Amino acid sequence: MPFSSKPSEPIRQLLAGIKSFRARYYERRPDSMRQLVTEGQHPEVLVIGCSDSRVDPALLTTAEPGELFVVRNVANLVPPYQPDGAYHGTSAAIEYAVKSLKVSEIIVLGHAQCGGIQGLIRLRAGQKSDDDFVSPWVSIAGSALDPYVGPEGSEQARADAEKLQSTPAVIERAAVRASVDNLMTFPFVRDGVEAGTLNIHGWWFDIQTGEMWAINPTTRLFQPFE
């Protein structure tokens, strides 16, 4: 039987957190939660973030319940539009946020020290991986490497990738740009952008300094928020 009768210390901490959340929102501010129950959710912002435990979109933005619709995956990637009947969790979240919730803002939120992007760099360097899901998934961002790394399997690719392992922020940001571009392959996203009812943003969070960077829509380069 997979269930433990005695909670571990991490689980006890989570349970204490749940009690604190309930006290804060259900006992001290019941009206706000009651409204979310009776009227449903109406977030204006979709955040596509990384599963990394250090980069929680709600914590970073101090968002309240109901303010963000969030989907998180390895390396905060957006796959291209591909309605082939297979399982597409991130694409389903994008579709629901745009078509059903009518969000007006989409943020692709990358970050420093991203393990998924480091894995992508290692793959381009020719290192083998024995995982079943991570490598195929991060390959979505393979085009982000193209301006910086030689052809896959070449000696140049191996040398370039080894250099990038010490400066992965270049690829982390390029992967955010690639995901922003992939968002525009979704017809309902493109229609919203062209109609002026939907805005797309690419952000990158520096874990070491706490700075948030954003894509300049004119230059497509990242610059820190003021």
Side-chain angles (χ1 to χ4, degrees), residues 74-93:
V74 173
N76 46 268
L77 299 180
V78 175
Y81 180 70
Q82 194 173 15
D84 56 7
Y87 303 117
H88 296 288
T90 297
S91 299

Side-chain angles (χ1 to χ4, degrees), residues 117-157:
I117 296 301
Q118 291 168 0
L120 175 66
I121 295 172
R122 288 193 296 269
L123 287 173
R124 182 63 70 92
Q127 298 181 29
K128 300 297 182 182
S129 174
D130 60 356
D131 59 74
D132 293 322
F133 302 107
V134 174
S135 293
W137 172 255
V138 297
S139 68
I140 291 170
S143 62
L145 287 167
D146 292 343
Y148 308 97
V149 183
E152 186 171 355
S154 66
E155 287 297 326
Q156 185 63 49

Side-chain angles (χ1 to χ4, degrees), residues 47-65:
V47 179
I48 302 165
C50 184
S51 300
D52 193 297
S53 61
R54 301 165 294 179
V55 190
D56 186 304
L59 289 177
L60 287 178
T61 61
T62 62
E64 291 288 304

Side-chain angles (χ1 to χ4, degrees), residues 114-127 138 145 149 157-158 160-172:
C114 180
I117 296 301
Q118 291 168 0
L120 175 66
I121 295 172
R122 288 193 296 269
L123 287 173
R124 182 63 70 92
Q127 298 181 29
V138 297
L145 287 167
V149 183
R158 188 172 294 106
D160 292 339
E162 287 176 356
K163 290 180 182 178
L164 283 171
Q165 286 178 351
S166 62
T167 56
V170 173
I171 305 304
E172 291 160 355

Side-chain angles (χ1 to χ4, degrees), residues 167-185:
T167 56
V170 173
I171 305 304
E172 291 160 355
R173 296 171 186 170
V176 171
R177 281 194 292 266
S179 284
V180 167
D181 291 340
N182 280 346
L183 275 170
M184 291 296 288
T185 67

Side-chain angles (χ1 to χ4, degrees), residues 4-19:
S4 172
S5 59
K6 185 178 180 181
S8 64
E9 181 58 28
I11 295 300
R12 283 197 294 269
Q13 291 179 3
L14 293 178
L15 292 174
I18 291 172
K19 290 179 181 179

Side-chain angles (χ1 to χ4, degrees), residues 183-184 186-198:
L183 275 170
M184 291 296 288
F186 289 74
F188 47 86
V189 172
R190 184 173 63 251
D191 290 346
V193 172
E194 292 176 351
T197 59
L198 186 60

